Amino acid sequence: SVEPIHLAMKTIPNIDKAYKILTSPSGNVYNQNKAEKLSKLDHIVIVCGHYEGIDNRILDYIDEEISIGDYVLTGGEIPACAIIDSIARLVPGVISDESIVGESFTMGLLEYPQYTRPYEYDGKKVPDVLVSGHHANIKKWQRYQSLKKTYEVRPELLGNIALTNEDIKMLEEIKNEKRRIFWGYIIFTNANLTICFIGNNIYIWRARSIFCTWNDKVYMDNAIVYSNRGFINFNWFKIEKRQTRI
């Protein structure tokens, strides 16, 4: 029922000046940017939704519906706590500014990995750069790792931030780390046909390449096949591909 909720809201001092939120699965998806905007408001009231729903007329007394994700909870109390916590920590004086800068989503990227003492535990060591005392290299490592984690886990975030030339260079290095190079060799070639064995596959070109001959070693890198004389055929994906076993 809308009445008891509305009457309860009316007992809150200065409710008319408050920004009123309803936690709801149909609301705007919550994120760090929204948390930062809400942290600048003086008065916020959160009405906790319920999995069975609330009388739709409550929306006449609400400024915004907010969802914390695409899943179902029995009530809006946990989402309300998450919203409160994310806002409160951004209020000046609650935690130090140094603790906020560089966190996941604050700079548009996921946060770099964190390490503490001891230097070595169970055979696993803290990266040497972090104990080098070289602050510029540490900052560069942190930025690289932040870009790498974002690229691997949430690549869509990279389209929402302004990347520096150094960031772009780092991303190219990160992408190159992920490249898979497969080695093989030419097993047959004549005027009309070239066959090579790469990885676990046999590739057939319906043409002869001037860049290879029988028994040449070749490798595939980023969809292009190379020999020691140059690339064999850029359009390898148009060839017949058959799965085989070594």
Side-chain angles (χ1 to χ4, degrees), residues 3-132:
E3 182 181 15
I5 298 174
H6 183 225
L7 292 177
M9 291 173 66
K10 290 172 68 175
T11 66
I12 299 173
N14 300 316
I15 185 64
D16 292 336
K17 296 181 180 180
Y19 191 77
K20 297 168 282 292
I21 296 169
L22 172 67
T23 56
S24 166
S26 61
N28 298 318
V29 178
Y30 195 62
N31 56 31
Q32 186 66 24
N33 184 52
K34 173 60 70 173
E36 291 173 358
K37 290 180 179 178
L38 293 178
S39 70
K40 295 177 173 59
L41 300 179
D42 293 327
H43 191 186
I44 297 173
V45 171
I46 302 177
V47 177
C48 299
H50 193 267
Y51 77 97
E52 287 289 353
I54 297 178
D55 190 309
N56 197 65
R57 287 171 290 185
I58 193 63
L59 297 181
D60 293 332
Y61 312 102
I62 294 296
D63 296 306
E64 182 179 11
E65 294 179 84
I66 287 180
S67 167
I68 64 166
D70 298 332
Y71 47 88
V72 179
L73 299 172
T74 54
E77 294 79 11
I78 292 176
C81 287
I83 293 170
I84 292 169
D85 184 81
S86 65
I87 294 172
R89 64 194 309 280
L90 296 175
V91 174
V94 174
I95 60 176
S96 66
D97 293 339
E98 291 79 7
S99 297
I100 295 175
V101 175
E103 290 184 322
S104 291
F105 306 112
T106 301
M107 300 291 290
L109 301 172
L110 300 184
E111 189 176 9
Y112 51 81
Q114 298 286 343
Y115 293 90
T116 58
R117 291 185 176 87
Y119 169 71
E120 182 174 351
Y121 174 75
D122 197 25
K124 301 172 181 64
K125 299 179 180 180
V126 174
D128 289 336
V129 65
L130 297 182
V131 295
S132 66

